[in-house]
């Protein structure tokens, strides 16, 4: 965080300053800000966030021992540290992030990119950050820091020398993206796609469209909206951009896209394509597994070009990206038994893409194995969407379908009804039982996809399998 006095921080968050020791209102603080006491370092700011399981106020002492010099709290804690008392610490870090970004922006060099979409946010964020780091100091989220806590914590990492801030905006209800994007008013806003992810929370697909379009509405005047030309729901957001006088740049496979890909060839080593932009055609070998990630690469390149990066530089840097993120199409195991651990998140769209990738990369003499868990936050659509995945798995002729967890049982039943008999589809109530089965079932030449939402916990099953067959 940039250096601010204690009084400046208190004003920014609207809190009551309670000094300790030698601290005065003019004492400056410039350490990292975090809600995890274990991550606090010397000079840090600890945010005592109440949680569902525990309460950050219980860990202020630990944060002080780690070097914290300031705690944001909702009630005074009997610990030897200066504290700022606020009604809501989550709102406080958002207010502090707005202040910090505004001050750095005023210096004239900082440019901000916001990314949203039902799928692909984290992958695109990592790709874009890889491109931009060669241009100047870049701050981007760690993992999927895209919610009301993670996004502001990322913003607070900017310094006076930061040239690019890449923000990832997730949401499971309307208004959330507007609030987060409103903290930084991005220069460039990227909308990847609109799908069924979180549809239960939003109340349906049309509500999801409106929620994702909040990013376009938050782009600063004179900015650029980067939109998916292949997604009609995203394409419709161009009208919002134009009404606001924003530039619109398109990515996709459509001939109308400003940055487009063609001649896709999906293999076990990545996806080959030819990308066209600004009258130039360049080959791209994307090492991140799965043809669906080409769209994310195009989005990253388009956003980078909107910031002034040369097309050829963007493509060259994309080719250095080997892994989207841990647990996202992460290749594990060995050539003998390859495990693809993609169980950090799952939606109907990403589940379909992962299954199709499994089919595309499995060669002659090799066997496809799909280990599938629940897709969360689908609300009333859950049974229908799990049914569709079960049908797709059978129609892709996947000979071994392993379904894990009661919330995914509809997927198993649909696979059986579609014709996956004689133990081609099996069901297990938990990951331990599934592991015991797979440990004895997998054989040389198997290509194994592990896919589920984070809440299903199959990412750890994928890790166990990867270690066992390494």
């Amino acid at each position: 965080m940039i250096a601010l006095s204690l009084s400046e921080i208190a004003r920014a968050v609207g809190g009551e300053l309670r000094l300790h020791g030698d601290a005065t209102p003019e004492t400056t603080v410039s350490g990292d800000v975090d809600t995890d006491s274990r991550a606090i370092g010397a000079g840090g700011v600890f945010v005592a966030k109440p949680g569902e399981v525990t309460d950050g106020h219980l860990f202020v002492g630990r944060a002080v021992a780690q070097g914290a010099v300031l705690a944001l709290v909702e009630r005074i804690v009997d610990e030897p540290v200066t504290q700022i008392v606020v009604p809501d610490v989550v709102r406080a870090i958002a207010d502090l992030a707005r202040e910090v970004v505004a001050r750095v922006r005023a210096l004239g060099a900082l440019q901000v990119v916001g990314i949203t979409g039902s799928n692909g946010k984290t992958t695109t964020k990592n790709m874009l950050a890889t491109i931009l780091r060669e241009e100047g100091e870049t701050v981007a989220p760690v993992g999927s820091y895209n919610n009301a806590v993670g996004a502001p914590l990322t913003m607070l990492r900017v310094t006076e020398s930061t040239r690019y801030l890449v923000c990832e905006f997730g949401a499971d209800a309307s208004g959330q993206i507007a609030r987060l994007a409103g903290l930084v008013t991005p220069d460039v806003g990227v909308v990847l796609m609109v799908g069924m992810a979180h549809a239960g929370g939003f109340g349906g697909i049309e509500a999801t469209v409106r929620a994702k379009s909040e990013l376009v509405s938050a782009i600063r005047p004179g900015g650029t909206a980067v939109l998916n030309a292949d997604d009609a729901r995203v394409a419709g957001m161009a009208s919002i951009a134009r009404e606001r006088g924003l530039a619109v740049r398109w990515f996709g496979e459509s001939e109308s896209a400003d940055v487009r890909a063609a001649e896709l060839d999906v293999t076990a080593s990545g996806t080959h394509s030819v990308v066209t932009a600004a009258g130039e055609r360049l080959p791209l070998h994307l090492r991140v597994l799965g043809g669906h990630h080409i769209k994310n690469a195009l989005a990253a390149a388009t956003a980078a070009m909107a910031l002034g990066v040369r097309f050829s530089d963007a493509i060259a840097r994309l080719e250095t990206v080997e892994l989207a993120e841990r647990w996202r199409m992460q290749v594990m195991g060995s050539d003998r038994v390859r495990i693809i651990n993609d169980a950090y998140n799952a939606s109907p769209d990403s589940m379909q893409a992962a299954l199709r990738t499994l089919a595309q990369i499995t060669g002659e003499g090799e066997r496809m194995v799909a280990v599938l868990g629940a897709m969360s936050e689908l609300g009333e659509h859950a049974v229908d969407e799990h049914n569709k995945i079960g049908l797709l798995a059978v129609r892709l002729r996947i000979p071994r379908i392993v379904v894990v967890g009661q919330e995914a049982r509809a997927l198993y039943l649909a696979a059986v009804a579609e014709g996956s008999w004689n133990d081609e589809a099996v069901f297990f109530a938990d990951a331990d039982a599934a592991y015991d089965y797979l440990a004895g079932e997998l054989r040389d030449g198997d290509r194994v996809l592990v896919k589920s939402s984070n809440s299903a916990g199959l990412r750890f099953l994928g890790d166990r399998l990867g270690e066992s067959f390494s």
Side-chain angles (χ1 to χ4, degrees), residues 46-60 74-75:
F46 177 61
V47 182
K49 184 179 79 70
E52 295 179 2
V53 177
T54 188
D55 185 346
H57 292 79
L58 301 175
F59 299 94
V60 173
E74 294 180 2
R75 62 178 185 274

Side-chain angles (χ1 to χ4, degrees), residues 161-176:
S161 59
T162 302
R163 185 171 174 188
Y164 302 105
L165 169 62
V166 180
C167 297
E168 179 183 337
F169 299 130
D172 53 17
S174 62
Q176 293 178 359

Side-chain angles (χ1 to χ4, degrees), residues 371-391:
V371 183
L372 308 176
M375 301 175 289
S376 62
E377 300 182 58
L378 293 175
E380 64 182 13
H381 307 285
V383 172
D384 285 345
E385 294 301 329
H386 283 89
N387 284 343
K388 291 176 184 176
I389 298 303
L391 297 179

